[in-house]
Every structure is written in structure tokens, then in C-alpha cells.
Amino acid sequence: MHRPQRRDRNLSVSDTDLRAQGSEDAERLSSAPVDSDGPTGIGVAGWLRWTWRQLTSMRVALILLFMLSLAAIPGSLIPQTSQNAFKVQTWKAAHQGITPLYEKLQLFDVYSSVWFSAIYILLFISLAGCIVPRTWQFVGVLRAAPPAAPANLTRMPVYAAWRTSADPQAAVAAAERLLKARRFRAHRGGTAVAAEKGYLREVGNLLFHLSLFALLAGFAWASLASGQGGKLVVEGGGYTNTMTQLDDFSGSAFYQASDLDPFGFKLDGFTDKYQTTGDQIGSAREFTAHIRYWNGADPSKLTAGEIQVNHPLEIGGSKVFLIGHGYAPVITVKDASGKVVYHDAVPFLPQDSNLTSTGVVKVGDYGQKDGQKVQLGFQGFFLPTAPANFGVNTGPRSLFPGDADPALVLTAYAGDLGTDAGSPQNVYQLNLSHLTQLQQDGQIAKVKLKPGEGWTLPDNYGSISFDGYKKWATFSVSHRPGNSVALAGAVLAILGLVGSLFVQRRRIWVRAVTTPDGRTLVELAGLARSESAKIAEELAELAVDLQDDAPALDEDEPAGADEAAGDEDDEAADEAVGEAVHETAGPAVPEPADPGSDPADNPKE
């Protein structure tokens, strides 16, 4: 029997010629923008054309993406005005020497700075310049038939051939049927069939580009139509989403104070739990704000809800985040006659992980003393778990963040608070320029109070009592309409990247022609667009399946002989086909039968 022999791996064309022709054909099979070493054309038009090609090239897009990543780093390391204006002011006060430089570089407003916006816009243009032509070209590829079989199939990377007594048209029709059953897009022309598979690779590539574009568009939309405000609420208090209620607010070009969503809530309680044993004693275990909220203009229609860290509550078009908590001592101040001149829960701000908190009490309506108007001020520390004694060098420090043994440490001042001048003041700091610290027995007047205890102030200034404490929570009210678009873009970008990496684009050609001796020569060839053994396996499986319609002849078997010689002959034929499938040496050199129509395997990013 005649067995199909392997083709000689040493082709007559030199390796240099093969590489040159392979490179030329690969360029014809790609839809990526052609890189140019310099401007094409003459004058301004040529420079513009060259600039556009560079901007839409893969190299420039990757550079812009890398630059955007680097540009975002200062925004995460330096306080941003849009996120926490008070923190920015504190940072500027602590770094006065370098602050002017940072302000010139817009490092306190990174995401709205000129240089960050420039990178952002250029990346937008680069992606758009890539997506539009690639999509149009890919649609053209889908509408066109697979490229016709090259004249010399032996030059393909994977090749198989055998002789059969079957009719050429029957062999080609059977090959077309088998290829379509394997979900190849097949087209028969004359005595050959061309098939292609793996279009999802380019679909994934385009999906990745479109998703990245959507991701950037989502962030841009969020920056142009978003707003954020902060509010500290003490237990038992409430909040209405208006500018007068917000502690701070940062809007955008298309979202101002008049666009705030109508809603509000009441803070009924706050639950905080900490680990009390082991190596992680004091570590947080639960933070939950228990609220009742309303959506719309009717505050009587309340709905119970909870807000936890990383679990915001969505009300209308806004989300309410829990971002902090602390304690608010309830303090009562009386004048010398016993009249209550101050009574309120005063939020103290945490300073460490054990919630050692500092705060001030400003009594602006104290009245007169010795015929002169007097105001009182108190600076203090609230300690959720106070030690028995304070160290000389450490000062008041809490031992545990939970309220196991709370105490309030106060020092008193008298004079002018500066609140009547009309200038804005920090509610958590005292302006000591016109205040005098009270003395007691020749020492600074200070006291440590437990809940329910009081202190008679020196010099007949009255008294102050520590009635108890409440918990407070800080909330961030955020309106960001582009977050869902950005999230969907990120998810789809991952799916597109997976498709572009794991789907293999490949082509198979089958040709059947009548030889001078009256037999039929069946040739199979495959071309993969990436280094993969899958094309060789598929070609071998196709060759084996094709034996049912075009069985291989032995070398000594005459044309037209009976081919149904039993299982042994079938096994011999399959073995012959298996030997006939091989991979040629050197690079793939396809015939230029599909000029400039394939955007499959040259992804831009």
C-alpha cells in the first residue's frame, strides 16, 4: 500500500526570503495602525497625519496609560480638597515651606488639574482613534468570505495530504460539512474550501478597548456630575440633605447645591464592638449606625436601615457612607448664680486607635462678671477607658477604644473667644489670643471627671458638670452617577482581555484535485495566528474524519479499487493520515489572498 509521505522540511526558498515574505504578509493581515519613523506627506498636513498615527499607536497608548497611573499616585498620597478640605488645611499648616510649590503644581486637586486632564483627554483620543477604524474593518472581515486557498498549500505551517479514489467535489463538500460542524465559517469555491474560526479573539480585543473607553468615560462623567458632602451626627440627632446641614460640600460642573437629592435620616444609635482578648485586643469587630431615613419631601415616612463600613445605604440617587465615629460628652455649664448657660453633647475627635479624643467647649453666652462681658472656654480629653493615673510625659491616654471606664479631663479659660467678630472659627479649637487660663491654688485649673460628676470653677465662675456621653458618627453623602458605568467597563474589560488572550484565530484550507493518474489528491493546510498546537490537532482530527468520505489509498492500490477492506485497512488509513499531518520548518508564509482585511491579531493594547 502507498502511504502518504512527509513533505521535505527543507523548502527551496531561503530562510531570509521566507522571513521577509512572512513579515510582509503578516502586515497585510493586520489592521493595526502602521508605525512610521517620520511624518508622511509634505508640510503641515504631513505632520498632522504623522502625529495622528503616533497618537493612535499601541506604543503611545501604553505610555499614556502608564502616565495616567503615575499621575494618580499624588492623589492618593496628598490630601485632596475635593475629599477633605479640612485635612488639606491641616496639611498646609504643617508643611508651610513646600505648600506654595504644591499649589502651583495643583497637587491638592490632582484629578481636576490641567496636566491630569491633558493625559486623560489624550488617552481618550488615542482609544477612539483605535476603536473606530478597527471596528469598521472587523465588520468588513465578517461580511467577507474567508480568504481563498493559497496556490501552494505546502508552505503553510501545518499540512496534510493523501490520495483517494473519491470524487474531488464530494471530498470538498464533505470537508465543508465537517468544518461547519466544528463551527468554522466555511466557503467553498471550485475544488477548494476555505474556513476560518476564532473571530471572538478580535471581538474580545474590541470589547477590551470599548470597555476601557467606557471606564474612562465613567470616571469623566463622575467627575463632571458628582458631588460629595460630609456630616457629623450625634446619637438622637438627624440630618436633612441640604447645604445648611452639611459640614462641607464639594460639587462639580453639573452638580451643585440645588441638585442635592431630597432625603434625610435620624441616627437612633451606634454599635461599636472590639476584641477584648488575645493579641489583637482593641481591634474593631463591628461598626453599625442604626438609622431611620426618608426619601423625598415627607420626613414622616420613615424606613429603618443600617449603615456599616463598606456597606453604604443608597437613598435616591445618593449613597450614604459611614466613615468615622467617636464620643460626645454631655456637658452642662452654670454661672455663679446657678443659671444654666450651656448644655449640649460636644463631639470630641479621636487622636489614636484607642479613641483618645480631644475637643473644646465654647460658652459664648456666659454673661457678665464684675461688670464686664465674659466668655468661657474649655479644652479637654475624653478617654473611653481611662487609666488610674496619667504619666508625667504621656498625658491623658485611653487604654481601650471601648467605653469601659470613661473619663473627661478639662482645663478652663476665661476672656474673649473671638466669636463675636464674625470671622469663621474651627469648632474643635480655641483661639487663645484673648483668653486667660484659670488658676487654682497657684496651679493650672484642671480636673478629671467621671460621668455624673461636676467641678466648681475657681474665681467664682460657676460650675461645669459631666452628665454623660453619647456616640457620634460621621457620614459621607456621595452622588456619583458614573460609578455603575465604570464598574461595568472594568468587568467587560477583563472579559474582553480573557477572550483576546485565550481564543485562537486560525484558518484551514482543503483542496481536492484530480491527478494525471486519475486519482484525487486531497490537501489540508492550517494557519494559526499565534504559537499554538491547537491548529495541528484540529487538522489531524479533520483529516481522520474525512476518511469516511475520502479514504486514503495504499500506494499499490489502483484507482477505483474497492476501499471497504475491513477494520485493518481503516486503521492503516488513519495511521497514514496521522503521518501526513506535519508542521513545516520556518515561519508561516501565507499567500496574499486576503489583502488588508484581517484585524484579528495585532491588538493595540
Side-chain angles (χ1 to χ4, degrees):
M1 294 177 66
H2 170 73
R3 295 180 181 274
Q5 301 297 318
R6 291 182 181 271
R7 301 283 181 178
D8 187 2
R9 292 179 179 268
N10 298 319
L11 302 180
S12 60
V13 185
S14 68
D15 291 344
T16 302
D17 294 337
L18 283 174
R19 292 191 183 95
Q21 187 173 353
S23 175
E24 180 182 351
D25 291 336
E27 290 180 1
R28 279 197 293 266
L29 293 171
S30 171
S31 65
V34 178
D35 289 338
S36 176
D37 295 332
T40 59
I42 301 175
V44 176
W47 278 102
L48 291 176
R49 189 181 301 112
W50 178 81
T51 302
W52 175 253
R53 289 178 178 176
Q54 297 305 308
L55 182 59
T56 57
S57 67
M58 177 183 66
R59 178 177 61 255
V60 173
L62 291 176
I63 292 174
L64 289 173
L65 194 60
F66 181 68
M67 290 176 62
L68 191 68
S69 302
L70 290 180
I73 294 177
S76 61
L77 299 178
I78 302 172
Q80 298 297 294
T81 304
S82 60
Q83 299 175 358
N84 194 328
F86 176 72
K87 192 173 182 180
V88 171
Q89 294 299 326
T90 304
W91 195 96
K92 289 181 178 180
H95 306 82
Q96 296 182 6
I98 200 172
T99 292
L101 177 61
Y102 277 28
E103 290 177 339
K104 290 181 179 179
L105 295 177
Q106 298 179 294
L107 295 182
F108 298 111
D109 300 280
V110 168
Y111 304 111
S112 59
S113 63
V114 175
W115 48 273
F116 189 88
S117 300
I119 300 173
Y120 206 85
I121 293 173
L122 286 175
L123 186 56
F124 256 107
I125 297 174
S126 180
L127 285 174
C130 173
I131 292 172
V132 173
R134 288 179 71 92
T135 303
W136 185 253
Q137 291 174 5
F138 182 60
V139 171
V141 170
L142 291 178
R143 296 178 62 183
N152 190 355
L153 291 179
T154 60
R155 297 168 64 185
M156 291 297 103
V158 186
Y159 176 81
W162 69 88
R163 297 180 184 274
T164 181
S165 60
D167 181 71
Q169 292 295 332
V172 172
E176 181 183 18
R177 184 184 72 254
L178 292 173
L179 286 168
K180 288 183 176 179
R182 287 173 168 78
R183 293 182 297 177
F184 276 81
R185 196 163 66 96
H187 175 73
R188 182 161 42 132
T191 59
V193 58
E196 193 165 9
K197 189 177 183 180
Y199 290 94
L200 286 179
R201 181 184 181 89
E202 179 65 9
V203 172
N205 201 356
L206 290 173
L207 179 62
F208 174 78
H209 285 74
L210 288 170
S211 300
L212 186 58
F213 192 86
L215 180 66
L216 295 175
F219 284 130
W221 183 17
S223 63
L224 292 174
S226 65
Q228 181 173 322
K231 179 62 177 179
L232 185 149
V233 183
V234 180
E235 281 180 322
Y239 165 73
T240 303
N241 195 33
T242 60
M243 277 297 297
T244 57
Q245 290 276 304
L246 286 167
D247 295 333
D248 58 77
F249 175 78
S250 59
S252 58
F254 300 109
Y255 191 83
Q256 299 297 328
S258 59
D259 300 315
L260 292 173
D261 299 317
F263 70 89
F265 61 87
K266 297 179 179 179
L267 179 62
D268 293 331
F270 187 86
T271 300
D272 54 337
K273 294 182 180 179
Y274 306 90
Q275 185 165 323
T276 57
T277 59
D279 296 337
Q280 296 183 345
I281 185 171
S283 298
R285 291 294 175 260
E286 180 186 353
F287 295 136
T288 304
H290 308 280
I291 69 169
R292 287 175 297 156
Y293 66 93
W294 69 89
N295 185 14
D298 188 359
S300 62
K301 297 180 180 179
L302 297 176
T303 303
E306 292 183 347
I307 305 176
Q308 297 180 334
V309 178
N310 297 327
H311 292 83
L313 178 66
E314 187 168 357
I315 308 176
S318 299
K319 289 185 177 181
V320 182
F321 294 84
L322 175 64
I323 61 174
H325 74 289
Y327 296 93
V330 180
I331 295 173
T332 300
V333 179
K334 299 179 180 179
D335 61 11
S337 65
K339 177 185 175 182
V340 176
V341 293
Y342 184 89
H343 176 77
D344 200 0
V346 184
F348 277 42
L349 300 182
Q351 303 298 311
D352 56 29
S353 59
N354 287 330
L355 296 189
T356 301
S357 305
T358 62
V360 300
V361 181
K362 299 181 180 182
V363 187
D365 296 328
Y366 178 82
Q368 293 187 349
K369 185 177 184 296
D370 300 332
Q372 295 183 348
K373 184 178 179 180
V374 175
Q375 295 176 325
L376 296 182
F378 300 87
Q379 281 185 334
F381 292 87
F382 179 82
L383 313 177
T385 302
N389 297 294
F390 305 141
V392 177
N393 297 324
T394 60
R397 289 291 185 272
S398 177
L399 302 178
F400 186 75
D403 51 349
D405 187 16
L408 180 64
V409 180
L410 292 173
T411 57
Y413 296 82
D416 182 9
L417 295 172
T419 55
D420 296 337
S423 302
Q425 283 192 0
N426 191 331
V427 296
Y428 302 106
Q429 293 179 353
L430 280 181
N431 183 358
L432 302 179
S433 58
H434 300 288
L435 293 174
T436 302
Q437 192 167 32
L438 299 184
Q439 303 288 319
Q440 191 171 30
D441 300 330
Q443 302 291 329
I444 295 175
K446 59 183 179 180
V447 69
K448 174 184 176 184
L449 301 175
K450 295 291 185 179
E453 295 182 348
W455 176 32
T456 301
L457 299 174
D459 300 333
N460 199 27
Y461 276 100
S463 64
I464 183 172
S465 61
F466 176 28
D467 301 333
Y469 58 92
K470 297 181 179 181
K471 296 177 181 177
W472 59 259
T474 51
F475 300 93
S476 175
V477 181
S478 176
H479 178 86
R480 295 184 65 86
N483 282 351
S484 57
V485 176
L487 177 60
V491 174
L492 292 177
I494 295 174
L495 295 178
L497 187 62
V498 170
S500 65
L501 291 177
F502 293 101
V503 176
Q504 302 297 326
R505 184 80 175 272
R506 49 210 185 273
R507 289 172 178 170
I508 289 180
W509 295 278
V510 181
R511 177 185 289 136
V513 295
T514 302
T515 58
D517 60 0
R519 300 181 181 183
T520 297
L521 174 64
V522 179
E523 292 181 293
L524 281 74
L527 172 64
R529 296 312 191 71
S530 58
E531 295 296 331
S532 173
K534 192 170 185 178
I535 184 64
E537 297 172 1
E538 287 184 320
L539 199 70
E541 293 174 358
L542 177 64
V544 171
D545 292 345
L546 197 55
Q547 296 302 303
D548 295 336
D549 297 278
L553 295 175
D554 285 340
E555 197 173 282
D556 300 331
E557 187 174 346
D562 185 12
E563 300 167 11
D567 294 340
E568 293 182 0
D569 291 341
D570 290 341
E571 292 177 1
D574 291 348
E575 181 182 355
V577 171
E579 290 182 356
V581 178
H582 67 279
E583 296 185 20
T584 61
V589 188
E591 292 292 329
D594 183 26
S597 63
D598 188 1
D601 297 299
N602 218 333
K604 183 172 175 238
E605 285 84 36

